[in-house]
Amino acid sequence: QVQLVESGGGLVQAGGSLRLSCAASGRSFSTNAMGWFRQAPGKEREFVATISWTGGSTYNKDSGKGRFTISRDNAKNTVYLQMNSLKPEDTAVYYCAAGRGRFATVDPSEYDSWGQGTQVTVSS
């Protein structure tokens, strides 16, 4: 497994931006897909974005398309989630996850390592 530590969350006004980071250690980072998920109070964890092992393939949840961008720097063992035009409904704990394989996937069962989460709160 790989150890993941998220950072960059916080309180922001609607329309603002945040950049989440997820630093990985342990097994080789560059050979696995990565993903971001989120969980709002009283709701189930949901998929946000995923990126393949090379970074050449990405996919976003519909609600984040055009606003959220996932990227990775394999030299730094870090994956990012740039979030722009934030809305109050984006408020949640955001989790980084490492995939079992190389290819981007929305299926949470295809991820075997999870970070502790970082809180994002968007005020109206």
Side-chain angles (χ1 to χ4, degrees), residues 29-93:
F29 170 82
S30 62
T31 60
N32 294 81
M34 298 293 294
W36 285 97
F37 293 77
R38 68 185 183 186
Q39 187 168 18
K43 295 187 177 181
E44 294 186 353
R45 189 173 298 189
E46 65 175 0
F47 165 78
V48 175
T50 179
I51 188 166
S52 64
W53 64 298
T54 62
S57 177
T58 64
Y59 181 76
N60 284 22
K61 178 180 172 65
D62 285 346
S63 61
K65 287 182 179 178
R67 299 190 300 124
F68 294 0
T69 302
I70 187 171
S71 62
R72 65 190 297 162
D73 185 338
N74 286 346
K76 295 183 178 179
N77 286 356
T78 302
V79 63
Y80 305 97
L81 185 68
Q82 177 68 43
M83 303 187 295
N84 299 327
S85 302
L86 283 162
K87 304 175 182 179
E89 52 263 44
D90 294 320
T91 295
V93 177

